[in-house]
Every structure is written in C-alpha cells, then in structure tokens.
Amino acid sequence: MSHAIEPKPIRRACLAAAAGLAVLAAAACYAPTPPRSETAASTGPSAAPAGTPILPAPTGPHPVGTTALHLTDTSRSDPWVPEAKARELMVTLWYPARAREGRRAPYMTAKESELTLKGKRVTGVPYDMLSRTRTNAFSDARPAGRKGSLPLVVLSPGFTMPRSTLTALAEELASRGYVVAGVDHTYENYATTFPDGRIAECVACDSDSDPGFGAKVAGVRAADVSFVLDRLTGPDAKWKGSSLIDPSEIALAGHSIGGAAAVAAMLKDRRVRAGIDMDGTTYARIPKKGLSRPFLFMGSAGHVPGGRDNSWDRDWRLLTGWKRWIALPGADHQSFTDVPLLAGPLGIALPDGLSAARSLEITRVYVRAFLDLHLRHEPQTILDRRSPRYPEVEFCAPDRRTCG
C-alpha cells in the first residue's frame, strides 16, 4: 500500500508575515496560520531565475562523498500516519571520500523544491530553483578511512525543513573526517521522496497547534535517531562504509526543533555522547539527576539568558557535564542553516546582521570545535573564551543573565 500523501493545504510553523528572509524561517515555536489558498498554491512564478545557488566549498582536506539511504523501521507504525505500519526514513550520508569522482550530488529534487517553495510561500522564481543548488559532494564516491576510525554526527533539521538545508555544515564536517547523517523526519517537512517515487508531505503541519506538539515531535525524532544509529552501527548496518564508523563517538546536532531532538535523543539513547542545539526551544524534560554528557547551546538574539524562551534557562541547571551557552546577537533563526546562502538567488532580502558567509563560517567553526573536543578529544580553546577572530560570538552566563 502506498503511503504517499495527497496534496492539500499545508499550515506553516510560526512563519513571519513580513517579507524577506522570514518567509523561509521556521521558528522554534509552533502557532497555526491560515491554510494557503488553492489559487496561491497553483499560480506559477513569474520571474526569471536570479542565478544558480552555490554552496561554499568545505575547508577540510578530504573530498566529500554522499549517498542516500532508505530505511524502514518495522517495529513501529508511523506516528503521523498510523495506517503506515512501518516508519520510513530517508537519510543522506556525507563522508570523507578517496577522490573527487563521479557527479556532484543534487541538493534536492525538482518536485521537493516546488513543494518546499510553495509551502514557504516563496514566489517570483522558478519552482525548481532549489534543485539547481550546486553542492560540493560527489554521489556514491568511495569512502575513505580506517576501520572504526570516523566519528558519526547526526543532523536533525528544523520543522518543515528538509535535511538538505544543513548541507553546507554537513559537507564541512565530512571534509574534516566525520561521517554525517542528515535525517528527513518523514511527514514533518514539505516533501520527502522515497526511491519508488512516493512523496510524503507535511502531515504534522496539521497538528502544530495541538497541546504537547513540540514534545511529540522531539520524541518522534529521538526514536528516529536511535533507529538510524542501529542501521549505521549495528549488526544490521545498511551502508557499505559503516565499518569505518567509530560507534563510541557519536553526536547529534540539530536546528530549531532538531535541537530539541538532541536533548530528547540523549535522554533516550546513551550512544549519543554529545549534543548541540542550534536555536531551538527544548521540550524533553531532563530528570532531576541531570544530564551529564557534553552539550552546547548555540543561539541567536532570541536565545539569551532570561530571554523570551526560558527552556534553555530551565535545562541549563540540569546539564551537569561539560556545557556552553553561546549567542550570536546578529544572527537570525536560520543563520545556522543554508537558508541565508540561498536567499540571493531566491530574491529574498537578508535581515541586517551577520552576512550569510559569516554566519556559515561561525557555525562551521564552533560546531566543529565542539565535535573535535568531545569526539576526538582534542583541546579547543575557542570554546573557553571569546575569540578576537569571532567577536560576534558571546559566551553566556545564565546565573548572571549576561552574555559577553
């Protein structure tokens, strides 16, 4: 039985009504908005393309390979579509490759681009624009590395956002010797395409005003992550390069609700030894005994001590291991993703603050430093104090409700 979802009006998750980058922003909260009109959904764009989006090259020494996995968890029905008796996931792997060989990987399919842009109400460009984005990874290139030598990083995107929107970060980490697994949490974004051509759309968007919605999403994603780890590191490993992964060195980094999933997954699965939340409200409740594994909060101006979202203040007191809370006052909610890099070709004005190139550089540097410290056990002084190279990054002291 096919579990593809028929097209229907889709709600947005806390999309700002103002023009500009906000049309692509999926904030850390979830408030319902009116469905799109059928006229708006069916009207094609009217302007010529503004240019081909190009992701900046990664800075590491390794060529980057990539491949996609279709994984089916038969132990549970789908939490959003219960008639689907198994949970299906699409996962993109990025990894160090032996050589730059083959074709460059697509960013997403043309149909995924169309459904994403329609869902975000972006008009004025061809609907296949995102599928034209030039990446730096080579499809199915041969992986490089010694057996059991490569740390694994799982990436979880924001609500309604596909896994591809963390590609620039993933390519950077892979070029530095990490295996990176980007997970599409099915039915939580505008389009996930399965190998047989079925497309799962955003069923969860119809529930985003329900009580407990954020906690449900975080829990679903925690279960998804555990299943992905089973298929990448266990006896049922589904990737030909799985033997290169060091199963004792695993981290999860997420953006927005994906950041909330980092906390939830660490509470559920001890294999996740370190976590990063990039600008996401958290929902999973840490027990009173605390969470002793390393954790990094990395936020925009909305995520500072005593700010409008108190979930980080609440959780900070219960993080009993290594922890840091850093803030980028000039950042937007999407500054930790590919969205600012795509804004120009999409004809979207960037807000004042960090440039797209600078926000990507900072995200890459601090995420990599955290992973190098906790998965490779290499000292990283940049995580101890403010750096003159990155004066935009402030270290927060929640007990004093200050950042600087």
Side-chain angles (χ1 to χ4, degrees), residues 361-374:
E361 179 184 4
I362 290 172
T363 301
R364 283 175 164 182
V365 166
Y366 281 85
V367 169
R368 191 178 74 237
F370 175 86
L371 298 171
D372 285 349
L373 174 61
H374 296 293

Side-chain angles (χ1 to χ4, degrees), residues 121-297:
R121 300 184 182 179
V122 176
T123 59
V125 296
Y127 281 142
D128 67 348
M129 176 62 80
L130 292 176
S131 68
R132 304 180 192 179
T133 302
R134 178 169 174 166
T135 71
N136 300 283
F138 296 88
S139 293
D140 298 317
R142 293 172 296 168
R146 301 186 313 277
K147 183 177 180 179
S149 67
L150 304 182
L152 172 64
V153 182
V154 180
L155 296 181
S156 182
F159 186 64
T160 75
M161 306 299 281
R163 66 195 189 275
S164 57
T165 52
L166 295 174
T167 296
L169 175 60
E171 290 181 340
E172 172 69 12
L173 296 176
S175 79
R176 298 282 178 166
Y178 289 91
V179 174
V180 182
V183 183
D184 254 7
H185 302 280
T186 313
Y187 303 117
E188 295 178 25
N189 61 60
Y190 290 117
T192 295
T193 304
F194 295 115
D196 62 4
R198 289 173 298 132
I199 298 176
E201 297 188 40
C202 193
V203 175
C205 291
D206 292 333
S207 305
D208 62 3
S209 62
D210 292 352
F213 178 75
K216 177 179 178 178
V217 174
V220 168
R221 292 187 176 211
D224 288 347
V225 169
S226 289
F227 173 65
V228 169
L229 296 184
D230 291 342
R231 292 299 178 263
L232 289 180
T233 65
D236 296 324
K238 299 301 182 183
W239 178 47
K240 63 182 180 182
S242 286
S243 63
L244 303 178
I245 295 172
D246 181 349
S248 68
E249 304 291 357
I250 297 172
L252 170 58
H255 171 250
S256 196
I257 194 69
V263 176
M266 292 178 74
L267 294 173
K268 173 182 173 60
D269 196 325
R270 292 196 62 83
R271 290 176 295 181
V272 184
R273 60 170 290 113
I276 302 174
D277 180 348
M278 296 180 286
D279 217 42
T281 297
T282 57
Y283 296 95
R285 301 309 294 265
I286 299 174
K288 290 183 178 179
K289 66 180 180 180
L291 177 61
S292 62
R293 278 163 282 158
F295 204 87
L296 172 65
F297 283 130

Side-chain angles (χ1 to χ4, degrees), residues 24 80 131 174 287 300 311 364 382:
L24 277 178
W80 303 111
S131 68
S300 64
S311 67
R364 283 175 164 182
I382 198 172

Side-chain angles (χ1 to χ4, degrees), residues 76-115:
R76 55 183 173 139
S77 59
D78 193 279
W80 303 111
V81 183
E83 61 267 28
K85 300 306 180 184
R87 174 73 164 161
E88 293 183 79
L89 299 173
M90 291 302 300
V91 178
T92 294
L93 297 179
W94 294 268
Y95 50 86
R98 295 184 187 181
R100 293 174 174 82
E101 56 188 10
R103 62 181 181 85
R104 289 183 186 265
Y107 191 71
M108 62 174 65
T109 70
K111 188 63 177 179
E112 288 170 339
S113 175
E114 176 185 349
L115 292 174

